[in-house]
Amino acid sequence: MHAFSHGTTSSTAVAVPPSLALPVIEDVFPRQLHPYWPKLQEKTRLWLLEKRLMPADKVREYADGLCYTDLMAGYYIGAPDDVLQAIADYSAWFFVWDDRHDRDIVHGRTAGWRRLRYRLHTALDAPRHHLHHPDPLVAGFADSVLRLYSFLPRTWNRRFARHFHAVIEAYDREFRNRTEGHVPKVEEYLALRRLTFAHWIWTDLLEPSAGCELPDAVRNYAAYRRPALLSQEFAAWYNDLCSLPKEIAGDEVHNLGISLITHEGLTLEETVAEIRWRLEECIDEFLEAEREALRFADGLADGTARGRELSAAVRACVGNMRNWFSAVYWFHHESGRYMVDSWDDRSTPPYVNNETAGE
């Protein structure tokens, strides 16, 4: 089966391998792209250079092909341009951080990781004081977080910080697991994955995109929270499906497939089938939860100005939860991040500065 996207970085249609094709995504979740995307790509590329997050030659050769801005421009539809730019830069930073974390593990840089972990915690709470930190990863983080903090009240900022402190600690657990060769059991892995994939961070960012901080009573209501979780679960599990060859080659221990093979005794073929089944179930459950969420949004419109505002904001957020499915799906088939068969070394991404990362 071949499915084709309307490519953003290339006019060439992208064929999806049969083992990764999900016809329901291609048929039921039409792809959208924020009109600011071309400028977004250009500015994020410049930001990576300015903040020295990737060497100039790596930016020149790989940045556009990694499609980080495509992912965000396909998710946060309707966001003001400055909000989308801040999110896209933060997302690019997140991918670079993930690569540093991986290289620190591969090269046994335990002390370097511990320093970085501490510095990110402190930069999250006081980003303005870390804008000129000598480690570009800390300075770039501070810059992106400070911009994100400018859009909504301090209550949202504190929530974002709380959620990301948990992400940093989850990355530390991953560091220890990989160092010790510990493959988490399936349920342990799924709980950890919700943190390392930053489920609640990407969900938090729906609110500045909609221009409205949602009150706790709305945000924590089951009809809103369930589709938010399902959209993120789909993204994390589809990432696991697509990155399984890369992560087996790199001696990873954190992948739903690796947990299934190690602890459930499944073959590789059975594992792929199991993850695909979970993904299809997740999509079906989302479509049902989406209907509930939209009914919930309608019920918020109580005739007051505040009710109309909350109703519109929830509808915008739920619409972007839906966009996450197609954005994630096509990203995995367009981004050079997952094209391991084209790498010289399947365990070493060509877009990382492998020799000096983290030094």
Side-chain angles (χ1 to χ4, degrees):
M1 178 190 302
H2 287 82
F4 299 96
S5 75
H6 301 292
T8 52
T9 58
S10 169
S11 59
T12 305
V14 177
V16 179
S19 63
L20 304 178
L22 295 171
V24 65
I25 296 296
E26 298 159 21
D27 296 340
V28 181
F29 293 81
R31 190 179 193 184
Q32 298 191 65
L33 196 67
H34 198 291
Y36 182 68
W37 171 76
K39 184 64 71 174
L40 186 73
Q41 184 185 53
E42 175 188 339
K43 288 193 172 183
T44 294
R45 189 192 316 120
L46 292 173
W47 186 78
L48 287 168
L49 283 170
E50 176 194 340
K51 299 301 177 184
R52 298 180 295 117
L53 288 167
M54 292 174 68
D57 62 325
K58 301 288 188 185
V59 172
R60 196 163 45 245
E61 186 171 358
Y62 297 108
D64 289 354
L66 289 169
C67 300
Y68 297 158
T69 56
D70 302 37
L71 180 62
M72 295 298 109
Y75 185 20
Y76 296 101
I77 303 297
D81 292 353
D82 58 341
V83 173
L84 185 61
Q85 188 66 64
I87 292 173
D89 291 350
Y90 167 75
S91 169
W93 174 88
F94 203 118
F95 281 112
V96 174
W97 176 49
D98 187 71
D99 293 334
R100 167 84 73 86
H101 178 260
D102 175 70
R103 294 297 96 184
D104 279 353
I105 294 167
V106 168
H107 295 292
R109 295 192 289 247
T110 303
W113 163 250
R114 286 175 179 163
R115 284 193 299 271
L116 179 60
R117 170 191 170 203
Y118 171 77
R119 289 165 178 169
L120 292 179
H121 277 306
T122 56
L124 184 58
D125 290 330
R128 197 176 301 278
H129 299 307
H130 293 77
L131 292 173
H132 304 290
H133 195 281
D135 185 337
L137 203 65
V138 177
F141 179 62
D143 178 82
S144 62
V145 166
L146 190 62
R147 287 154 63 202
L148 292 173
Y149 283 177
S150 70
F151 300 120
L152 291 177
R154 289 183 180 179
T155 45
W156 184 93
N157 297 349
R158 287 195 290 269
R159 188 206 323 156
F160 180 93
R162 184 172 69 252
H163 286 161
F164 201 77
H165 280 304
V167 171
I168 296 168
E169 287 306 291
Y171 263 70
D172 186 57
R173 287 204 295 280
E174 278 207 347
F175 191 100
R176 285 183 275 118
N177 284 347
R178 284 183 67 185
T179 300
E180 296 165 5
H182 170 66
V183 179
K185 292 184 178 179
V186 172
E187 291 306 315
E188 178 193 351
Y189 169 74
L190 293 176
L192 181 61
R193 184 64 160 148
R194 290 181 186 118
L195 293 171
T196 57
F197 196 82
H199 281 25
W200 301 116
I201 290 293
W202 306 118
T203 303
D204 287 338
L205 290 168
L206 292 168
E207 294 169 58
S209 299
C212 178
E213 181 187 20
L214 298 177
D216 289 348
V218 171
R219 196 172 45 81
N220 293 326
Y221 197 75
Y224 180 85
R225 196 169 178 86
R226 180 152 178 75
L229 177 61
L230 288 167
S231 72
Q232 295 297 318
E233 296 278 59
F234 171 84
W237 300 346
Y238 194 68
N239 175 267
D240 281 1
L241 181 64
C242 294
S243 62
L244 187 57
K246 167 189 169 186
E247 294 184 342
I248 289 175
D251 293 325
E252 248 287 9
V253 298
H254 298 103
N255 185 292
L256 178 55
I258 292 171
S259 290
L260 288 166
I261 290 168
T262 303
H263 296 292
E264 305 294 331
L266 273 60
T267 65
L268 182 59
E269 293 77 12
E270 290 168 340
T271 295
V272 169
E274 171 69 15
I275 298 175
R276 286 180 59 89
W277 176 82
R278 288 174 182 251
L279 288 165
E280 289 161 0
E281 286 287 296
C282 185
I283 294 166
D284 289 343
E285 290 180 24
F286 175 81
L287 291 171
E288 181 180 340
E290 179 187 41
R291 290 190 288 271
E292 287 293 323
L294 293 174
R295 282 195 287 270
F296 172 57
D298 289 343
L300 292 171
D302 58 4
T304 66
R306 178 60 170 163
R308 287 192 297 273
E309 179 190 34
L310 287 176
S311 176
V314 169
R315 290 190 76 88
C317 291
V318 173
N320 281 333
M321 293 172 197
R322 160 177 276 271
N323 288 332
W324 195 226
F325 286 82
S326 59
V328 163
Y329 183 79
W330 292 114
F331 168 69
H332 282 85
H333 303 299
E334 293 173 349
S335 173
R337 195 172 178 86
Y338 304 99
M339 297 180 182
V340 294
D341 291 336
S342 67
W343 300 356
D344 292 336
D345 176 355
R346 289 168 63 90
S347 68
T348 305
Y351 47 83
V352 300
N353 191 354
N354 192 56
E355 293 77 19
T356 58
E359 296 298 330

